[in-house]
Amino acid sequence: MRFPDILRFARDAATGYPLRTALSVLAMSIGVAAVVILTALGDGARRYVIGQFSSLGSNLVIVLPGRSGTGGFNPANAITSTPRDLTIDDAAALLRGSAIQRVAPLVVGSSEISAGGRLREVMVAGTTASYFAIRNFALAQGSALPEEDWGRGSSVAVIGHKIGQEIFGSNSAIGQWVRIGDRRLRVIGVLKPLGQGLGMNTDELVIIPVALAQALFNSNTLFRILVEAKSRSAISGARQQASDILKQRHRGEEDVTVITQDAVLATFDKLLGALTLGVAGIAAISLAVAGILVMNVMLVAVTQRTSEIGLLKALGASGRTIRLAFLAEAAMLSAVGALLGYLLGQLGAFALRQLFPVFPAYPPDWAVIAGLATALATGLLFGFMPARRAAQMDPVQALMSH
Amino acid sequence: MALLELKDIARRFQLGDTTVNALSDLNLRIDAGDYVAVMGPSGSGKSTLLNLLGLLDRPSAGSYLLEGRDVTTLSPDALAGVRSTRIGFVFQSFHLVPRLTAAENIALPMTLAGIPAAERRQRVRQALGDFGLENRADHRPDQLSGGQRQRVAIARATIMQPALILADEPTGNLDRHTGDEVVRLLEELNGRGVTLIVVTHDPSLGARARRQLRMEDGRLQSDSAQRPGAIAEIAPRPGGSVAA
Ligand SMILES: Nc1ncnc2c1ncn2[C@@H]1O[C@H](COP(=O)(O)OP(=O)(O)OP(=O)(O)O)[C@@H](O)[C@H]1O
Ligand SMILES: [Mg+2]
């Protein structure tokens, strides 16, 4: 039998039993759609996190107080129960590093802001002028924090866009006085609207000099030190220098953690990549289930069409021809199901993107290809047994069954 | 020359612990171009014989020479090849594929044999004309009358130009008139040289054949042509035409 004839024969057989065909196509399409949508979610999460990290700034090295597990277990650290705090002087010392371009100390806390009888809770970030450069913050109006002695801190604030609107409405905020905690500060700048950043909504942020923030929160420690390396290739040098300088200042103890954006990114990338893979694996199970359903449908088809198989044999069909005809039918069911599932999945991912615009829910190519290939492979694999059963039927018995 | 020759054929079926001897001690020789009716009571082994002759079934013992070749040892696919090119079947219940049109049903043996579509079309058109089915080409079996269905089935059985046509009660599901029509068609084919073997319960139909075989209990009880055993030396009869 010629190949196009086998395909036509299989197609006619499939369309001759619409309910049965629809059922297996549906099962297969749900399996493939699940793969497409779930991997779109997983990969969307990965892209989202990476996008957020990238928006933190470029060539970034971050210093956190305390030793994290990444360097291996050090008994000396285990004995010193409380890690040494990071101070403004620590931050200033980092400027000595030859690979280091900029340094910004960071203190974070929440406080209340009031002006003109309005009062609201805000996130307060205490930092320095270089913070704006490191994080690529642009100003809608006014200017950034002034370059000044980090230990002094003039009574000024830069406010987020939304805070500005809520407190001053359409009036210009520049030059106005606000009260933050027990301090009166003059607004010198308003940030451009940016939206959600990683864990910190800059539209609802107030940025003040670091010394002021420490006084406000009554502490002299830092939450983070942000370090910008001179170039992309200088990142690892900057990391080493920051580590060395702080170790020296802390009497030889490695009681800080220095992470690079790249390392964090790579970790998240791996983690969320694995998540996507796992999710794809779960979806693949539904594909296997669909394959089993196709097998059952084909077994029913073989039973229902026993007398037809007998006839084909009487008319001179070889076992191979009959096997191919039934395999082609199974392959067709899976292929149509896979295609339909692919469209459904893309539609679902599209709907997700419409509902959650910040979330880039695109299915990765590898998942789409693997999903389609698995669908076809399971269809053929599970179609094989019924096809073989049909080919091995005894022609007389088959002809007699009605 | 003999088209086919059966020697000491037996066909036994095992049903639980009883053995059914559907055919036993069967010796038979049928010449090319002959017209043979197989008759006998129900259960006498007529269909079993036809299935053996059509290579749908294998004998439990004995040998079967078809066109001089021993076919009892052929592989299933080789048997399928012989069925495809040398044997045509006509069944009592027509056995058309319900989802295919009359034309597609007629073309089916050629499709299975891998004959190119253009040649198939041409031969199907010819066959539709020969069997008076020109206006039924695109009808499905459920849109055809019984007689038309059997004509489609006969067209299908002849489309590969076989040497042998086996018909198991071809008129069993038809009324007298359409039955006669179908028989005439088969006899015309025989007139053109195709060997025709018909199983029938109808004595008048059986009487039209040139040679009558009577089965009983799986044995050949009588043969209008010869007494069993005296066949070998007799020359083939001239293939004279039979009044239709
Ligand atoms: N597959 C089978 N298994 C068991 N016994 C069988 C089988 N096929 C046929 N037989 C038996 O073989 C014998 C001959 O059957 P066969 O069908 O050849 O009879 P028949 O002459 O065609 O009868 P009818 O005129 O009713 O069609 C019967 O006794 C039948 O029961
Ligand atoms: Mg019978």
Side-chain angles (χ1 to χ4, degrees):
Chain A
M1 202 168 176
R2 287 164 179 256
F3 189 62
D5 290 326
I6 289 182
L7 289 187
R8 176 132 20 94
F9 189 84
R11 183 203 63 196
D12 290 349
T15 50
Y17 300 87
L19 183 70
R20 214 184 57 202
T21 300
L23 210 75
S24 40
V25 165
L26 190 72
M28 199 47 99
S29 64
I30 288 173
V32 174
V35 170
V36 172
I37 291 181
L38 289 178
T39 55
L41 275 175
D43 206 52
R46 190 182 64 85
R47 283 174 208 235
Y48 176 75
V49 168
I50 288 174
Q52 290 299 324
F53 267 99
S54 308
S55 76
L56 277 181
S58 51
N59 304 336
L60 197 61
V61 176
I62 302 166
V63 182
L64 337 169
R67 183 93 190 115
S68 86
T70 49
F73 181 71
N74 183 346
N77 290 348
I79 295 162
T80 13
S81 52
T82 47
R84 194 183 302 266
D85 292 326
L86 283 172
T87 62
I88 292 184
D89 290 341
D90 284 336
L94 293 182
L95 282 169
R96 292 207 311 263
S98 58
I100 291 170
Q101 175 84 26
R102 295 190 181 90
V103 172
L106 185 62
V107 172
V108 173
S110 74
S111 183
E112 280 172 347
I113 183 169
S114 62
R118 284 172 218 251
L119 180 93
R120 64 158 287 173
E121 186 98 355
V122 285
M123 280 286 285
V124 176
T127 185
T128 62
S130 47
Y131 184 68
F132 290 81
I134 293 175
R135 300 253 351 230
N136 301 318
F137 281 166
L139 291 146
Q141 298 154 32
S143 56
L145 292 182
E147 299 278 357
E148 60 182 344
D149 180 0
W150 292 1
R152 215 173 62 87
S154 36
S155 296
V156 294
V158 174
I159 62 176
H161 188 258
K162 193 168 169 209
I163 304 275
Q165 279 189 332
E166 281 182 13
I167 292 182
F168 301 107
S170 52
N171 300 330
S172 170
I174 305 297
Q176 304 280 350
W177 290 87
V178 293
R179 178 170 284 279
I180 293 175
D182 55 358
R183 304 287 173 128
R184 264 164 55 80
L185 306 176
R186 196 162 52 85
V187 176
I188 56 165
V190 178
L191 290 172
K192 268 211 175 117
L194 259 178
Q196 191 68 42
L198 194 75
M200 203 189 272
N201 185 345
T202 56
D203 292 347
E204 300 186 47
L205 189 66
V206 172
I207 301 172
I208 62 175
V210 62
L212 226 58
Q214 284 190 332
L216 188 67
F217 299 129
N218 197 17
S219 108
N220 48 17
T221 69
L222 296 178
F223 173 62
R224 296 272 186 278
I225 303 173
L226 303 187
V227 176
E228 188 183 303
K230 286 205 162 121
S231 68
R232 194 168 172 76
S233 55
I235 290 176
S236 65
R239 178 178 195 269
Q240 193 56 51
Q241 287 167 5
S243 213
D244 290 347
I245 292 168
L246 291 176
K247 184 176 176 183
Q248 191 188 0
R249 287 180 55 84
H250 293 186
R251 300 210 199 95
E253 270 186 57
E254 289 193 20
D255 55 3
V256 298
T257 303
V258 185
I259 54 176
T260 63
Q261 195 182 356
D262 281 3
V264 175
L265 262 181
T267 306
F268 268 95
D269 201 23
K270 261 212 317 252
L271 201 77
L272 291 163
L275 177 85
T276 308
L277 209 66
V279 154
I282 291 167
I285 293 174
S286 69
L287 271 180
V289 171
I292 291 172
L293 197 92
V294 167
M295 174 167 76
N296 275 311
V297 160
M298 289 312 296
L299 281 175
V300 170
V302 169
T303 317
Q304 260 183 359
R305 303 218 305 262
T306 300
S307 90
E308 178 187 319
I309 293 164
L311 171 76
L312 293 177
K313 293 200 156 188
L315 297 182
S318 63
R320 180 172 167 276
T321 296
I322 289 172
R323 212 164 37 237
L324 278 180
F326 278 88
L327 264 185
E329 194 176 331
M332 231 172 249
L333 295 182
S334 338
V336 172
L339 213 70
L340 196 74
Y342 170 73
L343 294 178
L344 274 179
Q346 289 289 13
L347 205 73
F350 176 77
L352 276 176
R353 294 197 296 271
Q354 296 301 108
L355 285 174
F356 311 103
V358 295
F359 198 77
Y362 292 93
D365 287 345
W366 63 261
V368 170
I369 291 168
L372 291 176
T374 314
L376 285 182
T378 50
L380 278 180
L381 197 71
F382 287 106
F384 194 78
M385 205 261 271
R388 206 183 52 176
R389 179 176 292 188
Q392 286 174 346
M393 252 172 206
D394 174 62
V396 176
Q397 299 286 329
L399 269 170
M400 284 196 316
S401 83
H402 271 286
Chain B
M1 184 201 127
L3 175 78
L4 58 89
E5 196 166 351
L6 302 182
K7 280 190 196 136
D8 302 322
I9 287 288
R11 180 65 171 104
R12 292 181 284 271
F13 292 105
Q14 202 66 43
L15 277 180
D17 37 70
T18 61
T19 305
V20 181
N21 287 302
L23 294 175
S24 31
D25 297 333
L26 202 79
N27 287 283
L28 179 65
R29 187 182 150 140
I30 292 176
D31 293 316
D34 211 342
Y35 174 12
V36 182
V38 183
M39 291 180 287
S42 184
S44 57
K46 306 181 295 295
S47 297
T48 306
L49 173 62
L50 221 63
N51 290 336
L52 278 180
L53 294 178
L55 304 179
L56 294 173
D57 199 7
R58 289 172 191 272
S60 313
S63 73
Y64 174 12
L65 297 182
L66 179 66
E67 297 182 310
R69 177 158 67 146
D70 186 356
V71 289
T72 44
T73 54
L74 293 183
S75 72
D77 277 359
L79 291 177
V82 177
R83 283 197 297 269
S84 164
T85 53
R86 309 306 293 155
I87 303 172
F89 292 91
V90 178
F91 305 95
Q92 176 177 357
S93 53
F94 321 128
H95 267 303
L96 301 179
V97 180
R99 60 178 179 278
L100 300 182
T101 65
E104 287 167 338
N105 267 292
I106 294 172
L108 193 52
M110 295 192 287
T111 312
L112 292 171
I115 290 173
E119 188 183 343
R120 291 200 311 253
R121 256 195 305 282
Q122 186 247 317
R123 273 160 73 174
V124 166
R125 196 180 317 117
Q126 171 80 36
L128 285 167
D130 289 350
F131 291 92
L133 293 163
E134 294 96 334
N135 304 323
R136 298 287 177 271
D138 297 325
H139 290 217
R140 286 180 211 291
D142 57 6
Q143 300 162 326
L144 297 172
S145 72
Q148 287 166 340
R149 284 184 215 178
Q150 200 58 304
R151 273 188 276 157
V152 170
I154 294 171
R156 181 181 66 190
T158 58
I159 200 78
M160 292 292 287
Q161 292 159 350
L164 174 63
I165 288 189
L166 302 170
D168 196 345
E169 301 183 39
T171 61
N173 279 354
L174 302 174
D175 61 43
R176 176 110 234 142
H177 176 70
T178 40
D180 283 349
E181 218 176 295
V182 161
V183 169
R184 260 199 303 281
L185 279 176
L186 290 171
E187 287 172 350
E188 266 170 41
L189 293 171
N190 174 246
R192 281 187 249 134
V194 182
T195 310
L196 178 61
I197 303 179
V198 183
V199 169
T200 181
H201 280 289
D202 180 346
S204 69
L205 210 155
R208 294 166 67 128
R210 199 173 308 139
R211 180 178 174 191
Q212 285 83 25
L213 303 178
R214 179 158 289 279
M215 306 269 309
E216 205 160 325
D217 259 348
R219 289 166 200 277
L220 200 55
Q221 196 221 16
S222 76
D223 181 344
S224 68
Q226 280 99 23
R227 297 167 311 283
I231 25 175
E233 276 73 44
I234 303 230
R237 284 172 308 281
S241 71
V242 168

